[in-house]
Structures are given as C-alpha cells and as structure tokens.
C-alpha cells in the first residue's frame, strides 16, 4: 500500500481546476470546485478499485450481482472521502486549500435513481458489501432523469425534471468495451439441428445497445472497492447508411427514439404497479445486459465452462422488477451455451434468489400475455415452458385439488404473466424483509408456495449503514460515541450496545442532549433558509419522513395536529408543550389522494403557523424535496420518529432504524421492523399504539368496520373531519379536501371507507402522542431513553443483514487484501 501524499493531492486538485475550467482553484465557484475535488478523489479510489477486481479474480471469489431497478445513493463525495483510509489527511488538504468540505458536498446533486426505501436499501447493501470485503456488483439503470424534484407551489406538489447528469458525474466511467446487445420484438423460428436438438432463432427484432457506466463503491477503511453498474441505452447503428439508402430513415429514427426512451426516466411509483410497456422494456433492458456480462466474465475466467456458474455467481432480485433474469439466464445458458433445459434450470435456480418487499395487491407485477409475448417472444417461450413444468409438478403433488392450486400458483394464468410466481419458482431462496412481514408471507400471501417449497423461505430483516446514517449524517454524535466506546461500532454496530451503561449517567445524558440540540439548531437553520419558518429548538421535533402513501398514514398525523389546534383554541389557558411537526414526502405524480394530503398538510401549516393567538405552541413544517441528502440533516435532529403505518402494510421500513440510531423515540404501530425495534429497545422506551396486524387482517376479512360509527360517536374527531369540508383550512374552496373526507367515511359502490383504519387507530394515536409529550418534558427520562435507543440499534446495521444473506443465501468468501 502506497503512503498517502498530501502535497500530491493538493497539486492534483489545483491541476484539475486548470484542466477542467482553465482557471485557478481560488477562482472557481462551489460547483466547479466540487468537480475539481471529486476528480481527485476518484483518482484516489481508482487503484484500489482495479486491485479489488484483480484480487477477487485471482482468489476466484464468488460474486453477488444485486439486481435492482433502483439505487437511491444520495451524494457520493462526502461518503467516499469518509470511507477512504486517508480521510483525515484528505480533509486537511481540502481545508488547507481554503475549501469548505460541506459546501463542496452541497454542490453535488443527489443520485436519485430510486423512489424510497427499496432503492435506499440497495444503496446501504452496497456500502456493507464493500465494507465487509465481499465482491459485489449492483446492476441498474442510468436514468437520464432520476426521481423528480419536488417544488411546493401554493401548497401543492409540483414535479420538476431532475437533470442530474447535466454537469457530468465525476465518479462514473463509461465502459464501452463491455457494451451488450439487447433484443426486443420480432419472432422465434425453430430449427432442427443435425443431432436432433431444437435450436431457437430470434428474428426480426429491434436491437438496443446497452452501455455500462461503472461507479466505485468504497468499503470503509479496507481498500476494497465494489461497483455500481448502471446501463445506458443507445440505438444500434443509428442512422446507418444502409437503412438510409433503403429509405428506412423512419425506422432508424424510431429505433434511436426507442433506445432513448428506455433510460429516459425513473417511474415515480413506490409500492404501486402501473403496467406500462416501457417499464417492462426497462426491466428486460438492464437485466439482459447484466446477465450477459455476468455470464461472460464468469465464462472468460473459467475456460468456457459454464456448468459451475452457480458456485461463482449469485443474482439477488430486489423485488419482482428484475425477475426476467430467471428466463434470461435460461436463454443465455441454452441458446448461447447450448445447455439442455435441465442443466440450465438447475444452474438458474441455484443462482437466483428473490426478495419480497410488499404484500400490497396494487404492487404485484403482472403483465398481459399479449404485451409480454410481443415484446419478448423468446423469453415468453421460456416462461411458458417453466410454467408448463411447474404445473406438472403441482399435478403430481396435489392430485385431488391440483387445478385449484394451479389457479392460485401458476406463472401464466388468466391472460397474465405473474412475476412474483416466476421469481419464487425460479429461485432457490425467497425472503421477506422483517420478521413480521416474513410470517405474513408464509401464513397468508405466499402460503401455497411456502407449503410447496418450505426450504426456500427465510427472513432477512432490513438494515441501514451506520457509516452514512451516523458517521456521516451526525458527526457530533458519532464522535461522542467513539469517545465513549471506541470506534469499532463503525464496522461492527453490535458494539454500540456498550453505550447502554451511559443511559443513567447524568454527564453523558447532558452531553447527548446537547448534541441533539445542536442538530436541532442545524435543522432549524435549514428550515428557516428553505421555508422561511422560525422554529423553536426547545419544542418537540416530531418527524415523519417517507414516501407519501395512504398506508403510511400521513393523514392520521395531520388529523391529530388539527385536533391539537382545536384544543389550544378552545383552552388557551391550558399548558401545552411546544411541538413542531416536520413532514417530508413526495407523492407519485398520478396519485391524487397522496397529492391532496400534501396540500392539506401545507394548508394546515399556513393557518396554524400564522395564528399569533396560539403563541407558537404548534408549528407545522413541510420540507420540500425530501431526499437522502435532506434526510441526513433531518434525522439527527428528530425527537419523535413517526412510524404509524396500518399494521401489516409496511414490510419493514428503514427510516425507523435511521431515526432510532440517531436517538429518536418511535411513536409507532406494531408493523414491519417496528416490532423488532421495540423488542431491542424495550416497549417502555417507545410509544406503541393501535391495532395489531392480526386484528387488521381479521377486520379486512369480515368487513365489519364502520368508520361512520366513530364519526358519529366521537365529537372531537367529528369536528376535525368536518373541518375538511367546511372551508376551515381552505376558505377559498371549502370542497377542496372533500376527497379525503370521503376516503375516510363514504362507502361508494366498490370503494371501502377508511381502508387503512385511520379513524379506528386515531384515538390510540392521540393517547400515544400525549404520553410521548409528557415523557419528553421529563428531560432525564428522555435522555436515558434516547441513549438507549441509540445503544440498542445494533441489530439494524445493514452489515448484519448482509452477513445473513451471505451465510444463508449467497455463500460468499471475503476478498483478502
Ligand atoms: C430511508 C429512506 C426512505 C425509506 O423510508 P421509510 O420510512 O422506511 O419508508 C425513503 N426515502 C429516503 C430518502 C430515505 O433515506
């Protein structure tokens, strides 16, 4: 290992300024300086990156390909510096050059190649894989436009295109030499070979060229660098003279447009399936390219032998989005490497594993046969054969009621291709993302599959990387933790348990609370700069940050705020502890109820924040454009962590973990990973309320829930709901929030009133809130409980999650560096 040379880095940054901008470093603006520094940091990484691959190949390590349509990476510069072994020296260089690291970091756009939790999980996993020394490649799409930027205009969400690549990405490398061809459309012809075998020839297809862009994923202080590989699309032979001469100009233009469209934009839906052809195109595009390169590089290393591929490659399917990988791997093994069906099938199943992320019906991907078979004729043929053989197996196993089982379990049924079924059948491992979620999968949603393949199922509770979510986001607390227990927690979060002995220590308590206060001041400055609202840093910072979704119940949160406001107006003499409600959430562009909920939050904020008579007892803040980089400012400042989804609906949640690690207390339902959080920290150090998942599932089944009864019998709740339709928060348009009112109370034809049991849980929620605020005022009690939350967050490191995947599913060995 070379010794780090400060003078050389300094010179390089100064040179970059001249090379990139033909000016001196001191003359650059923040964005330009960011590029000068980032290019130098990339240079610090590059040798380790090359060496990691070399070592892994020499040691013939197994490699995991994490296949995901989303990677919500956030910014790279700060994290890359932090993970490099020489990070102290690098920071000194930046300072000595007169640059401000945090300003440089702010000049980098977020890499918003994801929507929410699922994409952020992929990002945390890559960080953990590299830090633990495993050989990994994240494979995804290089969306030209990432997740849209949210502007709040007159209280409404407005979506603005995120042109994140317009100034270039200093961390990416275009790997033109690894380009692959991906084929769409056309038909399949069957040819009888001399040896009697059938060969399938794809004809009349349109080709797209897939070009990978690699970015480094730097392990923490270990010289291991893994890869995030995202694919760009280019028309194959755009405007070829040949086409031009034949008068096929139109066709050439069409294929150029098709290629461009594939990677144009990330679909902004979270937990929701839209069934658009372009989406299937995106899926096959990045999967075909990723599978081809993975098999290629394996075969190259192993002298053309493809038969032991499953020993050296693992494909993890992040939800059903990458499930065509099952059929694509079959295609490559049979059509390109001439394996028999049975040989190819065994390899495929042993290579693929599937992670389920939701049980919500509207999120289940299924494609009309017509669409699927037209776009991917050879792949459809293979899926048909997988399905035929599977149905045969079912008939063997369930003689009596096979047809009933097939109706529920077949991949192709009722004119549709069901991706979850293909994923389960084509994988050797299927996992849920929290203990409760996995139990629900086994007992309800995937019961039939669990019965057929019990050995495939396991739980892998999600996690988060403490490097980004504590070390980077909360440097002051990170330093305090290190001062108390040493720095091993950075790569082994179970160590943080050692903090528990400080929970009762008065000095430690006041230090911990002082740090929380500093983080609240930092967030208060951010809010003042972005929202123009002055918030009281002594007030409760009550934080709910996540995608806007009905099942997550932001509406329940704001209804409670409306209730509190009525209380203060009615009883101005009563004591009321100041409370700041902080929201951050983007709604899918076409999701009307979600967008109206954002408008409601902003309308309530407008009325309450401007009512001088309540003397700033309540402030409501909606933080625009919630993303990873703003999460890093918001989460360290939180007192309350709102995790209030309808029990059974949130598969895991991960913001619950980030907030716990940063010393916030959970106000939550027994849903997703909340169950495990409470188990770790103790129910007395959280505020748990509401229906259990069993109760929710039971009530959904017997359809006996009547929210109107609550409306009729609880006058305070009734009053809050009436304020949705009497113009209290929208005097210029009293009917504005009628759809929200209706969603809670009106059973219109097929519609279910209050599908997510908001009114059912509202009283219990109000009580949990009251209890939390009471405890918050007991500063000693609170400090103790907050320290215990941080101390008991060890389980929720993505390092722990990755080690479980490695042990039970991937069976990787570490690279020796
Ligand atoms: C962690 C994270 C999420 C996931 O939040 P949940 O509350 O688990 O849904 C979403 N968006 C961003 C930017 C995150 O960092």
């Amino acid at each position: 290992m070379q010794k780090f040379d400060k003078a050389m880095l300094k010179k390089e940054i100064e040179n970059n300024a001249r090379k990139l901008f033909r000016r001196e470093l001191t003359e650059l603006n923040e964005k330009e300086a960011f590029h000068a520094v980032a290019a130098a940091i990339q240079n610090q990484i590059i040798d380790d990156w090359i060496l990691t691959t070399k070592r892994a190949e020499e040691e013939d390590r197994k490699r995991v390909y994490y296949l995901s349509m989303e990677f919500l990476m956030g910014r790279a510069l700060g994290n890359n510096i932090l993970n490099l072994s020489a990070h102290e020296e690098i920071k000194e260089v930046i300072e000595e050059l007169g640059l401000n690291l945090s300003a440089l970091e702010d000049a980098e756009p977020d890499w918003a190649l994801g929507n929410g939790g699922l994409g952020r999980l992929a990002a945390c996993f890559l960080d953990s894989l590299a830090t633990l020394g495993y050989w990994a490649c994240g494979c995804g799409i290089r969306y030209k436009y990432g997740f849209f930027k949210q502007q709040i205009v007159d209280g409404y969400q407005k979506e603005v295109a995120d042109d994140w690549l317009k100034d270039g990405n200093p961390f990416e490398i275009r790997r033109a030499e690894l380009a692959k061809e991906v084929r769409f459309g056309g038909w399949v012809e069957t040819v009888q070979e001399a040896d009697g075998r059938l060969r399938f020839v794809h004809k009349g297809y349109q080709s797209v060229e897939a070009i990978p862009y690699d970015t480094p994923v730097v392990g923490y202080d270990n010289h291991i660098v893994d890869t995030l590989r995202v694919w760009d699309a280019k028309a194959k032979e755009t405007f070829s003279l040949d086409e031009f001469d034949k008068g096929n100009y139109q066709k050439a233009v069409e294929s150029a447009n098709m290629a461009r469209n594939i990677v144009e934009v990330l679909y902004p839906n979270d937990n929701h399936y839209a069934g658009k052809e372009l989406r299937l195109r995106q899926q096959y595009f990045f999967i075909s390219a990723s599978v081809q390169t993975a098999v290629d590089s394996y075969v190259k290393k192993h002298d053309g032998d493809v038969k032991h591929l499953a020993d050296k490659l693992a494909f993890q399917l992040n939800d059903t989005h990458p499930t065509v990988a099952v059929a694509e791997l079959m295609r490559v093994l049979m059509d390109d490497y001439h394996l028999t069906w049975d040989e190819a099938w065994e390899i495929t199943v042993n290579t693929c594993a599937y992670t389920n992320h939701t049980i919500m019906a509207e999120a289940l991907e299924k494609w009309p046969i017509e669409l699927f078979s037209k776009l991917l004729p050879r792949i459809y043929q293979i899926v048909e054969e997988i399905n035929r053989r599977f149905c045969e197996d079912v008939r063997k196993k369930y003689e009596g009621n096979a047809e009933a089982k097939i109706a529920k379990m077949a991949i192709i049924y009722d004119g549709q291709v069901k991706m979850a079924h293909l994923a389960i059948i084509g994988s050797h491992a299927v996992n849920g993302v929290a203990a409760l979620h996995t139990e629900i999968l086994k007992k309800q949603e995937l019961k039939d599959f669990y019965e057929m393949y019990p050995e495939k199922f396991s739980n892998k509770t999600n996690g988060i990387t403490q490097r980004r979510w504590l070390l980077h986001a909360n440097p002051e607390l990170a330093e305090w933790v290190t001062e108390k227990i040493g720095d091993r927690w950075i790569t082994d979060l179970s160590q943080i348990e050692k903090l528990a002995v400080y929970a009762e220590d008065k000095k430690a308590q006041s230090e911990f609370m002082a740090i929380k206060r500093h983080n609240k001041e930092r967030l208060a400055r951010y809010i003042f700069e972005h929202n123009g609202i002055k918030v009281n840093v002594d007030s409760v910072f009550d934080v709910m940050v996540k995608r806007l979704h009905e099942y997550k119940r932001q509406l329940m949160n704001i209804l409670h705020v409306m209730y509190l406001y009525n209380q203060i107006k009615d009883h101005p003499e009563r004591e009321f502890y100041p409370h700041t409600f902080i929201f951050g959430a983007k709604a899918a562009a076409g999701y009307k109820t979600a967008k109206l909920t954002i408008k409601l939050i902003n309308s309530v904020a407008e009325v309450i924040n401007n009512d001088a008579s309540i003397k700033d007892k309540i402030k409501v803040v909606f933080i625009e454009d919630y993303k990873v980089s703003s999460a890093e400012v918001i989460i360290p400042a939180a007192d309350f962590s709102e995790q209030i989804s309808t029990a059974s609906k949130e598969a895991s949640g991960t913001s619950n973990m980030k907030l716990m690690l940063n010393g916030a207390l959970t106000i939550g339902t027994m849903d997703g990973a909340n169950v495990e959080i409470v188990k770790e920290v103790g129910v007395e150090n959280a505020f748990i309320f509401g229906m259990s998942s069993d109760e929710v599932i039971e009530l959904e089944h017997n359809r006996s829930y009547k929210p109107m009864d609550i409306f009729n019998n609880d006058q305070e709740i009734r009053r809050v709901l009436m304020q949705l339709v009497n113009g209290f928060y929208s005097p210029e348009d009293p009917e504005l929030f009628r759809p929200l009112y209706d969603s809670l109370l009106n059973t219109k034809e097929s519609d279910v009133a209050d599908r997510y049991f908001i009114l059912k849980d509202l009283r219990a929620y109000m009580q949990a809130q009251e209890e939390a605020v009471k405890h918050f005022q007991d500063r000693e009690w609170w400090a103790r409980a907050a320290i215990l939350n941080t101390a008991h967050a060890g389980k929720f490191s993505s390092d722990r999650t990755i080690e479980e995947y490695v042990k039970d599913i991937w069976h990787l060995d570490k690279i020796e560096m």
Side-chain angles (χ1 to χ4, degrees), residues 18 84 103 200 249 334 524 592 636 677 756-757 762 777:
R18 288 189 282 270
L84 284 169
F200 299 91
Y249 179 76
M334 294 187 302
K592 289 213 177 98
I677 284 177
Y756 296 105
F757 305 104
L762 186 51
Q777 294 170 69

Side-chain angles (χ1 to χ4, degrees), residues 70 73 574:
E70 304 187 14
M73 303 294 283
R574 282 190 198 161

